[in-house]
Amino acid sequence: MKIATWNVNSLRARADRVEAWLEQNDVDVLAIQETKCKDENFPWELFESLDYDVAHFGFSQWNGVAIASRVGLEDVERTFPGQPGFGKGGVDPVQEARAIAATCGGVRVWSLYVPNGRALDDEHMPYKLEWLAELNRQAAGWLTEDPQAQIALTGDWNIAPRDEDVWDMQYFLDNGLTHVSQPERDAFHAFLDTGFADPMRERHPGPGVFTYWDYQKLRFPKGEGMRIDFQLLSPALAARVTDAAVDREERKGKGPSDHAPVVVTLA
């Protein structure tokens, strides 16, 4: 069984690439982030033509998450319990389309688009940390309730947990950038402390294993990327992993997403 996660950065704009990738890769479940569309203009037919069931959660041209599965799609859940909303300047918090779950082939798959803190002093940063803290609290409860639970927390985490996960740590420090701050990293590592495992790290521990390259400043050809897309797996599910990889080739060519798919293979 293969599970992939991919921030496609507008599904409608990259429908042809997503379709071609699914045709070329033996993927059973695809968790998608940044669909950037509502349910009414979601390309349902793309997945149906390839025999995938699909669930989507989107309100507008921002955010949006989906799960496509050819091994079943049951108990769809939009947002996790207690998921915080965002309200700027004292405005009542609004729920964003950033999390969707479904049981696929016995695995509880979450497609997650973690908020971007934007700036260290931006109102989105405490929102991001609160969002992650609540997700981790819920995830810890799931493992306490069932230590053998098969759970995959997949998606764009908008965090580079280690210095080696960015092309130049000093550049990030000098410019006071997000994704590498200690509070963000602590929020990510809390999931590992809870018991979730990162199979990509275990199999590809070195520097330069990136999943995202900005469109600007020739970041991709220069190799100036970040590792911010992850699949964190519950202990019982992590024990089934036989392989994990980033499909870097999908960042090449005409009209790619700025993210590459991360694929985990299970026994």
Side-chain angles (χ1 to χ4, degrees):
M1 181 175 176
K2 286 187 179 180
I3 300 175
T5 183
W6 189 7
N7 180 325
V8 298
N9 191 9
S10 181
L11 182 55
R12 288 179 295 165
R14 271 166 267 284
D16 290 346
R17 290 193 65 126
V18 172
E19 182 176 18
W21 190 80
L22 287 173
E23 288 177 336
Q24 296 164 11
N25 292 272
D26 189 26
V27 171
D28 297 294
V29 182
L30 174 61
I32 308 167
Q33 301 84 45
E34 278 205 275
T35 61
K36 294 185 176 180
C37 58
K38 303 177 182 179
D39 282 352
E40 53 263 37
N41 52 25
F42 183 86
W44 304 98
E45 66 286 349
L46 182 161
F47 299 96
E48 292 168 357
S49 67
L50 298 174
D51 294 325
Y52 284 86
D53 295 319
V54 62
H56 176 249
F57 181 33
F59 294 133
S60 65
Q61 73 273 27
W62 306 110
N63 308 321
V65 284
I67 298 175
S69 170
R70 64 182 188 185
V71 291
L73 189 77
E74 301 173 344
D75 301 324
V76 174
E77 184 177 2
R78 293 169 176 82
T79 75
F80 54 83
Q83 180 177 321
F86 177 72
K88 191 171 184 178
V91 176
D92 289 342
V94 175
Q95 191 60 260
E96 297 184 312
R98 292 185 174 274
I100 189 171
T103 300
C104 309
V107 178
R108 190 64 174 167
V109 178
W110 281 92
S111 179
L112 305 167
Y113 181 39
V114 176
N116 187 325
R118 300 195 179 186
L120 296 178
D121 58 355
D122 192 279
E123 289 179 283
H124 283 82
M125 183 56 73
Y127 165 54
K128 177 180 188 175
L129 298 177
E130 181 187 6
W131 199 96
L132 286 163
E134 185 57 35
L135 175 61
N136 185 50
R137 190 178 77 84
Q138 296 295 331
W142 300 331
L143 291 186
T144 298
E145 182 179 345
D146 180 7
Q148 297 304 311
Q150 308 276 306
I151 304 171
L153 304 177
T154 79
D156 177 359
W157 290 74
N158 270 315
I159 299 173
R162 298 186 183 181
D163 290 358
E164 66 204 49
D165 294 337
V166 296
W167 77 90
D168 184 347
M169 187 61 190
Q170 196 59 50
Y171 175 87
F172 280 74
L173 294 176
D174 290 346
N175 290 278
L177 300 179
T178 62
H179 292 60
V180 299
S181 72
Q182 198 58 51
E184 292 171 284
R185 288 180 167 181
D186 288 346
F188 182 91
H189 285 109
F191 289 86
L192 305 182
D193 294 338
T194 294
F196 286 82
D198 177 3
M200 265 296 300
R201 180 81 65 187
E202 294 172 0
R203 287 160 177 76
H204 306 279
V209 183
F210 302 139
T211 65
Y212 166 86
W213 301 259
D214 195 286
Y215 291 125
Q216 301 182 20
K217 300 182 180 180
L218 299 175
R219 294 293 189 206
F220 183 67
K222 290 180 180 178
E224 297 176 347
M226 303 171 66
R227 190 198 298 223
I228 60 175
D229 302 85
F230 298 91
Q231 296 200 41
L232 299 189
L233 309 184
S234 62
L237 187 59
R240 295 172 52 193
V241 174
T242 60
D243 195 16
V246 177
D247 188 355
R248 188 178 182 277
E249 293 299 306
E250 192 53 38
R251 181 57 177 83
K252 299 178 180 179
K254 183 179 179 180
S257 170
D258 42 5
H259 296 251
V262 178
V263 185
V264 168
T265 305
L266 306 171

